[in-house]
């Protein structure tokens, strides 16, 4: 029975129009659905935090609860604790990025950085460009500010610069606010932008006058080949986003923005209205983890483990998936992107996959319109053991094969 005091539909007629346009993330919905213990999940991009050594965690947490607890429990400055920013500046310098403490603003995960950037730069109707498909959390963050998002496809060498250039020519100079890219081991594509394209992107940014946002959560998780120079190392105009979520722990919600200082000042203003400051406790723990513990050795364990899992997934795909399917071959990160024939709808297939004990993330969630990518899916190899990954791919291959057979039967019956 509705309460006598209920004068309107709370979730309906009072919410802002931008919220009514928001779609729930298929991944978040799935986390709820996929709690059955016999289901093998290929859907979430969760790091395997069980690989973190308890001693390292104790060292870091002890610092926050010991001598530094008065700081850790207090409000901090909006751009983050100076010592933590100094540590992060040191950390990114070995990626080739020129950076000082004052070039860094700490955020509540890279996710908050995406929101703050959109809040700072995007007016309704502004054009922004992303890879297509792209990180669905970025689409969620950007969409709240009602931009017009244009997607540029990628191939195994990252965003297609020829298609980008065509689009920019069509739109004209100054038409695009910013371009958002995940150059290393893209989420969801797993692909990496090659050096030639990185240089070309920066040339185009100058020529057509748009900002470049480089999101790099996976850059250190490389399993083959050498280090790729970040865009930010090639140009100080690039806005670079980092996070400890994939190299340490996402529960600590610590990310950062490196940007020209006038831009950081604007973002700082915006952040004041969002949360005053991030968690000082998290920042102290992160700082001590990367200062006082053998984190590089732990990173090697992450790399070794994820590499084995990636190999297990790629081998199983080769063994079990139908020849009509194609997929990317990531040199790092967490994800493989699979493309199936046009007539396979991975949204509706998900329920069948769940019944068969496996989940994946349907491709449509990684596009702003929710209609592209229907015949594709993202498979995460980061969280399950090699044995489970093999079994999951076997199960998924059976589900796909059933769909293909159904289609073949329709075709024979002349129904298509
Ligand atoms: C490309 C990308 N950007 C940002 C994030 C958000 O990271 P954080 O946990 O730091 O908020 C993720 C998380 O999966 C991601 O894949």
């Amino acid at each position: 029975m509705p309460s006598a005091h209920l004068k309107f539909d709370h979730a309906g007629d009072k919410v802002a129009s931008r919220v009514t346009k928001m779609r729930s993330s298929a991944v978040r919905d799935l986390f709820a659905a996929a709690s059955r213990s016999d289901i093998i999940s290929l859907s979430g991009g969760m790091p395997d935090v069980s690989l973190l050594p308890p001693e390292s965690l104790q060292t870091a947490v002890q610092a926050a609860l010991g001598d530094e607890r008065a700081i850790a429990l207090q409000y901090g400055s909006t751009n983050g604790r100076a010592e933590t920013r100094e540590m992060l500046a040191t950390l990114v310098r070995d990626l080739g990025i020129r950076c000082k403490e004052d070039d860094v603003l700490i955020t509540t995960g890279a996710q908050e950085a995406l929101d703050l950037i959109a809040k700072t730069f995007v007016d309704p109707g502004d054009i922004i460009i992303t890879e297509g498909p792209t990180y669905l959390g970025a689409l969620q963050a950007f969409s709240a500010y009602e931009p017009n998002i244009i997607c540029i496809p990628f191939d195994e060498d990252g965003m297609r610069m020829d298609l980008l250039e065509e689009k920019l020519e069509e739109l004209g100079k100054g038409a695009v606010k910013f371009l958002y890219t995940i150059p290393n081991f893209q989420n969801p594509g797993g692909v990496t932008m090659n050096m030639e394209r990185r240089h070309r992107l920066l040339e185009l940014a100058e020529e057509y006058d748009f900002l470049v946002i480089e999101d790099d959560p996976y850059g250190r998780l490389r399993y083959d080949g050498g280090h790729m120079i970040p865009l930010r190392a090639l140009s100080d105009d690039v806005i670079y986003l980092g996070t400890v979520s994939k190299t340490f722990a996402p529960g600590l919600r610590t990310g950062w923005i490196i940007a020209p200082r006038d831009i950081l000042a604007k973002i700082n203003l915006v952040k004041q209205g969002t949360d005053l400051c991030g968690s000082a406790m998290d920042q102290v723990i992160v700082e001590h983890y990367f200062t006082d513990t053998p984190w590089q050795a732990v990173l090697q364990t992450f790399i070794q483990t994820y590499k084995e899992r990636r190999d297990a997934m790629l081998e199983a795909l080769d063994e079990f998936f139908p020849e009509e399917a194609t997929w990317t071959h990531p040199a790092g990160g967490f994800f493989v992107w699979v493309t199936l024939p046009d007539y396979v709808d991975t949204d509706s297939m998900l329920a069948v996959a769940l019944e068969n004990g496996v989940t994946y993330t349907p491709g449509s969630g990684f596009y702003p319109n929710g209609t592209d990518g229907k015949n594709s899916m993202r498979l995460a190899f980061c969280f399950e053991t090699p044995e489970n990954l093999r079994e999951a791919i076997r199960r998924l291959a059976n589900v796909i094969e059933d769909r293909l057979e159904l289609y073949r039967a329709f075709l024979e019956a002349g129904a298509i």
Side-chain angles (χ1 to χ4, degrees), residues 95-99 195 198-199 201-206 210-214 229-240 258-260:
L95 300 174
I97 294 175
R98 290 170 296 276
C99 184
M195 279 319 293
R198 290 179 194 227
H199 285 288
L201 171 56
L202 295 174
E203 282 168 11
L204 290 170
E206 206 174 314
F210 56 85
L211 294 167
V212 174
I213 319 289
E214 174 179 34
I229 299 170
L231 292 161
R232 170 71 196 191
L234 302 172
S235 162
D236 288 340
D237 290 333
V238 170
I239 300 178
Y240 177 91
I258 297 170

PDB file of all heavy atoms in Angstrom, residues 95-99 195 198-199 201-206 210-214 229-240 258-260:
ATOM      1  N   LEU A  95      57.398   6.019 -16.226  1.00  0.00           N
ATOM      2  CA  LEU A  95      56.689   5.729 -17.485  1.00  0.00           C
ATOM      3  C   LEU A  95      57.114   6.730 -18.562  1.00  0.00           C
ATOM      4  O   LEU A  95      56.633   6.688 -19.686  1.00  0.00           O
ATOM      5  CB  LEU A  95      55.171   5.828 -17.283  1.00  0.00           C
ATOM      6  CG  LEU A  95      54.518   4.903 -16.248  1.00  0.00           C
ATOM      7  CD1 LEU A  95      53.039   5.242 -16.093  1.00  0.00           C
ATOM      8  CD2 LEU A  95      54.687   3.450 -16.652  1.00  0.00           C
ATOM      9  N   GLY A  96      57.963   7.667 -18.181  1.00  0.00           N
ATOM     10  CA  GLY A  96      58.441   8.665 -19.136  1.00  0.00           C
ATOM     11  C   GLY A  96      57.695   9.987 -19.035  1.00  0.00           C
ATOM     12  O   GLY A  96      57.902  10.892 -19.851  1.00  0.00           O
ATOM     13  N   ILE A  97      56.817  10.126 -18.029  1.00  0.00           N
ATOM     14  CA  ILE A  97      56.009  11.341 -17.916  1.00  0.00           C
ATOM     15  C   ILE A  97      56.749  12.373 -17.048  1.00  0.00           C
ATOM     16  O   ILE A  97      57.173  12.055 -15.929  1.00  0.00           O
ATOM     17  CB  ILE A  97      54.631  11.002 -17.296  1.00  0.00           C
ATOM     18  CG1 ILE A  97      53.849  10.106 -18.257  1.00  0.00           C
ATOM     19  CG2 ILE A  97      53.851  12.251 -16.922  1.00  0.00           C
ATOM     20  CD1 ILE A  97      52.516   9.607 -17.721  1.00  0.00           C
ATOM     21  N   ARG A  98      56.890  13.602 -17.556  1.00  0.00           N
ATOM     22  CA  ARG A  98      57.482  14.685 -16.757  1.00  0.00           C
ATOM     23  C   ARG A  98      56.408  15.154 -15.785  1.00  0.00           C
ATOM     24  O   ARG A  98      55.317  15.565 -16.220  1.00  0.00           O
ATOM     25  CB  ARG A  98      57.879  15.866 -17.635  1.00  0.00           C
ATOM     26  CG  ARG A  98      59.055  15.613 -18.540  1.00  0.00           C
ATOM     27  CD  ARG A  98      59.234  16.741 -19.540  1.00  0.00           C
ATOM     28  NE  ARG A  98      58.078  16.830 -20.441  1.00  0.00           N
ATOM     29  CZ  ARG A  98      57.935  16.085 -21.535  1.00  0.00           C
ATOM     30  NH1 ARG A  98      58.854  15.221 -21.882  1.00  0.00           N
ATOM     31  NH2 ARG A  98      56.852  16.192 -22.285  1.00  0.00           N
ATOM     32  N   CYS A  99      56.698  15.073 -14.507  1.00  0.00           N
ATOM     33  CA  CYS A  99      55.628  15.371 -13.556  1.00  0.00           C
ATOM     34  C   CYS A  99      56.183  15.778 -12.197  1.00  0.00           C
ATOM     35  O   CYS A  99      57.113  15.166 -11.690  1.00  0.00           O
ATOM     36  CB  CYS A  99      54.774  14.103 -13.404  1.00  0.00           C
ATOM     37  SG  CYS A  99      53.344  14.312 -12.364  1.00  0.00           S
ATOM     38  N   MET A 195      52.716   3.340 -31.804  1.00  0.00           N
ATOM     39  CA  MET A 195      53.376   4.637 -31.608  1.00  0.00           C
ATOM     40  C   MET A 195      53.044   5.620 -32.723  1.00  0.00           C
ATOM     41  O   MET A 195      52.859   6.813 -32.492  1.00  0.00           O
ATOM     42  CB  MET A 195      54.901   4.465 -31.510  1.00  0.00           C
ATOM     43  CG  MET A 195      55.420   4.036 -30.171  1.00  0.00           C
ATOM     44  SD  MET A 195      54.646   4.796 -28.725  1.00  0.00           S
ATOM     45  CE  MET A 195      55.155   6.479 -28.870  1.00  0.00           C
ATOM     46  N   ARG A 198      49.845   7.157 -31.977  1.00  0.00           N
ATOM     47  CA  ARG A 198      49.914   8.088 -30.835  1.00  0.00           C
ATOM     48  C   ARG A 198      50.393   9.462 -31.322  1.00  0.00           C
ATOM     49  O   ARG A 198      49.826  10.492 -30.965  1.00  0.00           O
ATOM     50  CB  ARG A 198      50.849   7.540 -29.744  1.00  0.00           C
ATOM     51  CG  ARG A 198      50.251   6.343 -29.048  1.00  0.00           C
ATOM     52  CD  ARG A 198      51.157   5.742 -27.981  1.00  0.00           C
ATOM     53  NE  ARG A 198      50.622   4.422 -27.641  1.00  0.00           N
ATOM     54  CZ  ARG A 198      50.427   3.944 -26.419  1.00  0.00           C
ATOM     55  NH1 ARG A 198      50.785   4.640 -25.373  1.00  0.00           N
ATOM     56  NH2 ARG A 198      49.904   2.757 -26.217  1.00  0.00           N
ATOM     57  N   HIS A 199      51.450   9.423 -32.150  1.00  0.00           N
ATOM     58  CA  HIS A 199      51.965  10.689 -32.671  1.00  0.00           C
ATOM     59  C   HIS A 199      50.914  11.378 -33.540  1.00  0.00           C
ATOM     60  O   HIS A 199      50.703  12.582 -33.455  1.00  0.00           O
ATOM     61  CB  HIS A 199      53.246  10.447 -33.482  1.00  0.00           C
ATOM     62  CG  HIS A 199      54.436  10.168 -32.605  1.00  0.00           C
ATOM     63  ND1 HIS A 199      55.049  11.143 -31.849  1.00  0.00           N
ATOM     64  CD2 HIS A 199      55.121   9.029 -32.353  1.00  0.00           C
ATOM     65  CE1 HIS A 199      56.059  10.621 -31.176  1.00  0.00           C
ATOM     66  NE2 HIS A 199      56.110   9.329 -31.463  1.00  0.00           N
ATOM     67  N   LEU A 201      47.670  11.113 -33.453  1.00  0.00           N
ATOM     68  CA  LEU A 201      46.563  11.628 -32.631  1.00  0.00           C
ATOM     69  C   LEU A 201      46.912  13.017 -32.081  1.00  0.00           C
ATOM     70  O   LEU A 201      46.094  13.947 -32.111  1.00  0.00           O
ATOM     71  CB  LEU A 201      46.255  10.654 -31.482  1.00  0.00           C
ATOM     72  CG  LEU A 201      45.280  11.131 -30.424  1.00  0.00           C
ATOM     73  CD1 LEU A 201      43.941  11.539 -31.034  1.00  0.00           C
ATOM     74  CD2 LEU A 201      45.040  10.043 -29.371  1.00  0.00           C
ATOM     75  N   LEU A 202      48.160  13.156 -31.606  1.00  0.00           N
ATOM     76  CA  LEU A 202      48.547  14.443 -31.023  1.00  0.00           C
ATOM     77  C   LEU A 202      48.627  15.537 -32.096  1.00  0.00           C
ATOM     78  O   LEU A 202      48.272  16.691 -31.841  1.00  0.00           O
ATOM     79  CB  LEU A 202      49.869  14.295 -30.271  1.00  0.00           C
ATOM     80  CG  LEU A 202      49.764  13.364 -29.048  1.00  0.00           C
ATOM     81  CD1 LEU A 202      51.129  13.140 -28.412  1.00  0.00           C
ATOM     82  CD2 LEU A 202      48.783  13.911 -28.005  1.00  0.00           C
ATOM     83  N   GLU A 203      49.060  15.137 -33.294  1.00  0.00           N
ATOM     84  CA  GLU A 203      49.058  16.115 -34.400  1.00  0.00           C
ATOM     85  C   GLU A 203      47.634  16.579 -34.701  1.00  0.00           C
ATOM     86  O   GLU A 203      47.359  17.766 -34.868  1.00  0.00           O
ATOM     87  CB  GLU A 203      49.635  15.478 -35.670  1.00  0.00           C
ATOM     88  CG  GLU A 203      51.148  15.388 -35.691  1.00  0.00           C
ATOM     89  CD  GLU A 203      51.643  14.484 -36.829  1.00  0.00           C
ATOM     90  OE1 GLU A 203      50.836  14.101 -37.705  1.00  0.00           O
ATOM     91  OE2 GLU A 203      52.839  14.161 -36.809  1.00  0.00           O
ATOM     92  N   LEU A 204      46.717  15.603 -34.744  1.00  0.00           N
ATOM     93  CA  LEU A 204      45.319  15.943 -35.056  1.00  0.00           C
ATOM     94  C   LEU A 204      44.707  16.810 -33.949  1.00  0.00           C
ATOM     95  O   LEU A 204      43.917  17.717 -34.220  1.00  0.00           O
ATOM     96  CB  LEU A 204      44.488  14.667 -35.249  1.00  0.00           C
ATOM     97  CG  LEU A 204      44.810  13.866 -36.524  1.00  0.00           C
ATOM     98  CD1 LEU A 204      44.104  12.509 -36.498  1.00  0.00           C
ATOM     99  CD2 LEU A 204      44.395  14.653 -37.772  1.00  0.00           C
ATOM    100  N   ALA A 205      45.095  16.519 -32.707  1.00  0.00           N
ATOM    101  CA  ALA A 205      44.555  17.302 -31.582  1.00  0.00           C
ATOM    102  C   ALA A 205      44.954  18.766 -31.729  1.00  0.00           C
ATOM    103  O   ALA A 205      44.174  19.685 -31.459  1.00  0.00           O
ATOM    104  CB  ALA A 205      45.065  16.740 -30.258  1.00  0.00           C
ATOM    105  N   GLU A 206      46.195  18.967 -32.192  1.00  0.00           N
ATOM    106  CA  GLU A 206      46.654  20.339 -32.375  1.00  0.00           C
ATOM    107  C   GLU A 206      45.958  20.995 -33.570  1.00  0.00           C
ATOM    108  O   GLU A 206      45.450  22.112 -33.477  1.00  0.00           O
ATOM    109  CB  GLU A 206      48.163  20.329 -32.573  1.00  0.00           C
ATOM    110  CG  GLU A 206      48.762  21.648 -32.141  1.00  0.00           C
ATOM    111  CD  GLU A 206      50.277  21.610 -32.201  1.00  0.00           C
ATOM    112  OE1 GLU A 206      50.882  20.628 -31.729  1.00  0.00           O
ATOM    113  OE2 GLU A 206      50.837  22.587 -32.743  1.00  0.00           O
ATOM    114  N   PHE A 210      41.382  20.050 -30.059  1.00  0.00           N
ATOM    115  CA  PHE A 210      40.599  19.380 -29.006  1.00  0.00           C
ATOM    116  C   PHE A 210      41.547  18.848 -27.929  1.00  0.00           C
ATOM    117  O   PHE A 210      42.744  18.659 -28.182  1.00  0.00           O
ATOM    118  CB  PHE A 210      39.720  18.251 -29.578  1.00  0.00           C
ATOM    119  CG  PHE A 210      40.474  17.191 -30.352  1.00  0.00           C
ATOM    120  CD1 PHE A 210      41.067  16.106 -29.708  1.00  0.00           C
ATOM    121  CD2 PHE A 210      40.586  17.268 -31.742  1.00  0.00           C
ATOM    122  CE1 PHE A 210      41.750  15.134 -30.427  1.00  0.00           C
ATOM    123  CE2 PHE A 210      41.274  16.295 -32.458  1.00  0.00           C
ATOM    124  CZ  PHE A 210      41.858  15.228 -31.804  1.00  0.00           C
ATOM    125  N   LEU A 211      40.988  18.624 -26.742  1.00  0.00           N
ATOM    126  CA  LEU A 211      41.778  18.069 -25.647  1.00  0.00           C
ATOM    127  C   LEU A 211      41.872  16.552 -25.797  1.00  0.00           C
ATOM    128  O   LEU A 211      40.946  15.920 -26.323  1.00  0.00           O
ATOM    129  CB  LEU A 211      41.098  18.361 -24.305  1.00  0.00           C
ATOM    130  CG  LEU A 211      41.006  19.816 -23.868  1.00  0.00           C
ATOM    131  CD1 LEU A 211      40.033  19.949 -22.690  1.00  0.00           C
ATOM    132  CD2 LEU A 211      42.394  20.313 -23.461  1.00  0.00           C
ATOM    133  N   VAL A 212      42.971  15.997 -25.295  1.00  0.00           N
ATOM    134  CA  VAL A 212      43.114  14.538 -25.300  1.00  0.00           C
ATOM    135  C   VAL A 212      43.129  14.055 -23.850  1.00  0.00           C
ATOM    136  O   VAL A 212      43.913  14.525 -23.031  1.00  0.00           O
ATOM    137  CB  VAL A 212      44.424  14.110 -26.004  1.00  0.00           C
ATOM    138  CG1 VAL A 212      44.631  12.597 -25.878  1.00  0.00           C
ATOM    139  CG2 VAL A 212      44.392  14.524 -27.473  1.00  0.00           C
ATOM    140  N   ILE A 213      42.209  13.114 -23.546  1.00  0.00           N
ATOM    141  CA  ILE A 213      42.171  12.485 -22.222  1.00  0.00           C
ATOM    142  C   ILE A 213      42.705  11.066 -22.381  1.00  0.00           C
ATOM    143  O   ILE A 213      42.131  10.263 -23.113  1.00  0.00           O
ATOM    144  CB  ILE A 213      40.718  12.374 -21.668  1.00  0.00           C
ATOM    145  CG1 ILE A 213      39.884  13.627 -21.953  1.00  0.00           C
ATOM    146  CG2 ILE A 213      40.725  11.964 -20.201  1.00  0.00           C
ATOM    147  CD1 ILE A 213      40.250  14.836 -21.189  1.00  0.00           C
ATOM    148  N   GLU A 214      43.791  10.779 -21.696  1.00  0.00           N
ATOM    149  CA  GLU A 214      44.422   9.450 -21.779  1.00  0.00           C
ATOM    150  C   GLU A 214      44.140   8.696 -20.481  1.00  0.00           C
ATOM    151  O   GLU A 214      44.593   9.110 -19.412  1.00  0.00           O
ATOM    152  CB  GLU A 214      45.938   9.632 -21.963  1.00  0.00           C
ATOM    153  CG  GLU A 214      46.708   8.328 -21.927  1.00  0.00           C
ATOM    154  CD  GLU A 214      48.211   8.534 -22.146  1.00  0.00           C
ATOM    155  OE1 GLU A 214      48.751   9.581 -21.708  1.00  0.00           O
ATOM    156  OE2 GLU A 214      48.839   7.650 -22.753  1.00  0.00           O
ATOM    157  N   ILE A 229      55.192   4.313 -24.848  1.00  0.00           N
ATOM    158  CA  ILE A 229      55.302   5.661 -24.270  1.00  0.00           C
ATOM    159  C   ILE A 229      53.918   6.291 -24.179  1.00  0.00           C
ATOM    160  O   ILE A 229      53.181   6.340 -25.168  1.00  0.00           O
ATOM    161  CB  ILE A 229      56.229   6.530 -25.146  1.00  0.00           C
ATOM    162  CG1 ILE A 229      57.615   5.883 -25.183  1.00  0.00           C
ATOM    163  CG2 ILE A 229      56.308   7.957 -24.610  1.00  0.00           C
ATOM    164  CD1 ILE A 229      58.536   6.500 -26.198  1.00  0.00           C
ATOM    165  N   PRO A 230      53.528   6.754 -22.985  1.00  0.00           N
ATOM    166  CA  PRO A 230      52.204   7.372 -22.850  1.00  0.00           C
ATOM    167  C   PRO A 230      52.091   8.642 -23.703  1.00  0.00           C
ATOM    168  O   PRO A 230      53.092   9.325 -23.959  1.00  0.00           O
ATOM    169  CB  PRO A 230      52.112   7.734 -21.364  1.00  0.00           C
ATOM    170  CG  PRO A 230      53.193   6.986 -20.685  1.00  0.00           C
ATOM    171  CD  PRO A 230      54.256   6.721 -21.710  1.00  0.00           C
ATOM    172  N   LEU A 231      50.861   8.965 -24.104  1.00  0.00           N
ATOM    173  CA  LEU A 231      50.618  10.209 -24.839  1.00  0.00           C
ATOM    174  C   LEU A 231      51.100  11.400 -24.023  1.00  0.00           C
ATOM    175  O   LEU A 231      51.665  12.352 -24.552  1.00  0.00           O
ATOM    176  CB  LEU A 231      49.120  10.355 -25.134  1.00  0.00           C
ATOM    177  CG  LEU A 231      48.538   9.339 -26.124  1.00  0.00           C
ATOM    178  CD1 LEU A 231      47.029   9.263 -25.982  1.00  0.00           C
ATOM    179  CD2 LEU A 231      48.925   9.709 -27.546  1.00  0.00           C
ATOM    180  N   ARG A 232      50.882  11.306 -22.715  1.00  0.00           N
ATOM    181  CA  ARG A 232      51.263  12.412 -21.838  1.00  0.00           C
ATOM    182  C   ARG A 232      52.783  12.643 -21.843  1.00  0.00           C
ATOM    183  O   ARG A 232      53.251  13.760 -21.602  1.00  0.00           O
ATOM    184  CB  ARG A 232      50.756  12.126 -20.417  1.00  0.00           C
ATOM    185  CG  ARG A 232      51.251  13.042 -19.342  1.00  0.00           C
ATOM    186  CD  ARG A 232      50.663  14.439 -19.431  1.00  0.00           C
ATOM    187  NE  ARG A 232      51.435  15.373 -18.630  1.00  0.00           N
ATOM    188  CZ  ARG A 232      51.083  16.605 -18.328  1.00  0.00           C
ATOM    189  NH1 ARG A 232      49.937  17.095 -18.761  1.00  0.00           N
ATOM    190  NH2 ARG A 232      51.840  17.382 -17.602  1.00  0.00           N
ATOM    191  N   ALA A 233      53.552  11.578 -22.097  1.00  0.00           N
ATOM    192  CA  ALA A 233      55.006  11.742 -22.181  1.00  0.00           C
ATOM    193  C   ALA A 233      55.402  12.416 -23.490  1.00  0.00           C
ATOM    194  O   ALA A 233      56.489  12.971 -23.619  1.00  0.00           O
ATOM    195  CB  ALA A 233      55.696  10.382 -22.058  1.00  0.00           C
ATOM    196  N   LEU A 234      54.497  12.377 -24.473  1.00  0.00           N
ATOM    197  CA  LEU A 234      54.777  13.002 -25.774  1.00  0.00           C
ATOM    198  C   LEU A 234      54.280  14.439 -25.825  1.00  0.00           C
ATOM    199  O   LEU A 234      54.710  15.216 -26.666  1.00  0.00           O
ATOM    200  CB  LEU A 234      54.105  12.189 -26.899  1.00  0.00           C
ATOM    201  CG  LEU A 234      54.521  10.716 -27.003  1.00  0.00           C
ATOM    202  CD1 LEU A 234      53.653   9.989 -28.018  1.00  0.00           C
ATOM    203  CD2 LEU A 234      56.001  10.606 -27.395  1.00  0.00           C
ATOM    204  N   SER A 235      53.323  14.762 -24.949  1.00  0.00           N
ATOM    205  CA  SER A 235      52.796  16.132 -24.936  1.00  0.00           C
ATOM    206  C   SER A 235      52.288  16.504 -23.546  1.00  0.00           C
ATOM    207  O   SER A 235      51.457  15.792 -22.966  1.00  0.00           O
ATOM    208  CB  SER A 235      51.636  16.263 -25.935  1.00  0.00           C
ATOM    209  OG  SER A 235      50.877  17.410 -25.637  1.00  0.00           O
ATOM    210  N   ASP A 236      52.759  17.635 -23.026  1.00  0.00           N
ATOM    211  CA  ASP A 236      52.319  18.087 -21.701  1.00  0.00           C
ATOM    212  C   ASP A 236      50.893  18.621 -21.714  1.00  0.00           C
ATOM    213  O   ASP A 236      50.342  18.969 -20.678  1.00  0.00           O
ATOM    214  CB  ASP A 236      53.270  19.179 -21.175  1.00  0.00           C
ATOM    215  CG  ASP A 236      54.616  18.592 -20.788  1.00  0.00           C
ATOM    216  OD1 ASP A 236      54.680  17.366 -20.568  1.00  0.00           O
ATOM    217  OD2 ASP A 236      55.601  19.357 -20.721  1.00  0.00           O
ATOM    218  N   ASP A 237      50.276  18.706 -22.903  1.00  0.00           N
ATOM    219  CA  ASP A 237      48.890  19.177 -22.972  1.00  0.00           C
ATOM    220  C   ASP A 237      47.881  18.064 -22.686  1.00  0.00           C
ATOM    221  O   ASP A 237      46.701  18.324 -22.478  1.00  0.00           O
ATOM    222  CB  ASP A 237      48.579  19.742 -24.369  1.00  0.00           C
ATOM    223  CG  ASP A 237      49.310  21.056 -24.588  1.00  0.00           C
ATOM    224  OD1 ASP A 237      49.585  21.738 -23.580  1.00  0.00           O
ATOM    225  OD2 ASP A 237      49.632  21.365 -25.748  1.00  0.00           O
ATOM    226  N   VAL A 238      48.354  16.825 -22.729  1.00  0.00           N
ATOM    227  CA  VAL A 238      47.443  15.688 -22.531  1.00  0.00           C
ATOM    228  C   VAL A 238      47.005  15.610 -21.061  1.00  0.00           C
ATOM    229  O   VAL A 238      47.785  15.878 -20.154  1.00  0.00           O
ATOM    230  CB  VAL A 238      48.146  14.368 -22.954  1.00  0.00           C
ATOM    231  CG1 VAL A 238      47.342  13.145 -22.533  1.00  0.00           C
ATOM    232  CG2 VAL A 238      48.396  14.379 -24.460  1.00  0.00           C
ATOM    233  N   ILE A 239      45.746  15.249 -20.855  1.00  0.00           N
ATOM    234  CA  ILE A 239      45.223  15.009 -19.499  1.00  0.00           C
ATOM    235  C   ILE A 239      45.305  13.506 -19.261  1.00  0.00           C
ATOM    236  O   ILE A 239      44.670  12.718 -19.973  1.00  0.00           O
ATOM    237  CB  ILE A 239      43.763  15.510 -19.383  1.00  0.00           C
ATOM    238  CG1 ILE A 239      43.718  17.012 -19.683  1.00  0.00           C
ATOM    239  CG2 ILE A 239      43.195  15.184 -18.005  1.00  0.00           C
ATOM    240  CD1 ILE A 239      42.321  17.619 -19.640  1.00  0.00           C
ATOM    241  N   TYR A 240      46.131  13.122 -18.293  1.00  0.00           N
ATOM    242  CA  TYR A 240      46.423  11.700 -18.061  1.00  0.00           C
ATOM    243  C   TYR A 240      45.715  11.218 -16.799  1.00  0.00           C
ATOM    244  O   TYR A 240      45.777  11.876 -15.758  1.00  0.00           O
ATOM    245  CB  TYR A 240      47.938  11.538 -17.904  1.00  0.00           C
ATOM    246  CG  TYR A 240      48.404  10.132 -17.591  1.00  0.00           C
ATOM    247  CD1 TYR A 240      48.745   9.249 -18.611  1.00  0.00           C
ATOM    248  CD2 TYR A 240      48.499   9.689 -16.273  1.00  0.00           C
ATOM    249  CE1 TYR A 240      49.178   7.958 -18.334  1.00  0.00           C
ATOM    250  CE2 TYR A 240      48.924   8.391 -15.981  1.00  0.00           C
ATOM    251  CZ  TYR A 240      49.260   7.536 -17.013  1.00  0.00           C
ATOM    252  OH  TYR A 240      49.686   6.264 -16.733  1.00  0.00           O
ATOM    253  N   ILE A 258      46.749  13.910 -14.103  1.00  0.00           N
ATOM    254  CA  ILE A 258      47.910  14.760 -14.364  1.00  0.00           C
ATOM    255  C   ILE A 258      47.517  15.643 -15.544  1.00  0.00           C
ATOM    256  O   ILE A 258      47.100  15.133 -16.594  1.00  0.00           O
ATOM    257  CB  ILE A 258      49.149  13.910 -14.724  1.00  0.00           C
ATOM    258  CG1 ILE A 258      49.529  13.032 -13.521  1.00  0.00           C
ATOM    259  CG2 ILE A 258      50.325  14.800 -15.128  1.00  0.00           C
ATOM    260  CD1 ILE A 258      50.581  11.991 -13.824  1.00  0.00           C
ATOM    261  N   ALA A 259      47.598  16.941 -15.356  1.00  0.00           N
ATOM    262  CA  ALA A 259      47.111  17.859 -16.400  1.00  0.00           C
ATOM    263  C   ALA A 259      47.836  19.189 -16.273  1.00  0.00           C
ATOM    264  O   ALA A 259      48.453  19.479 -15.235  1.00  0.00           O
ATOM    265  CB  ALA A 259      45.605  18.068 -16.237  1.00  0.00           C
ATOM    266  N   PRO A 260      47.754  20.026 -17.317  1.00  0.00           N
ATOM    267  CA  PRO A 260      48.294  21.384 -17.194  1.00  0.00           C
ATOM    268  C   PRO A 260      47.680  22.061 -15.968  1.00  0.00           C
ATOM    269  O   PRO A 260      46.512  21.830 -15.642  1.00  0.00           O
ATOM    270  CB  PRO A 260      47.827  22.056 -18.496  1.00  0.00           C
ATOM    271  CG  PRO A 260      47.650  20.929 -19.464  1.00  0.00           C
ATOM    272  CD  PRO A 260      47.188  19.760 -18.657  1.00  0.00           C
TER     273      PRO A 260
END
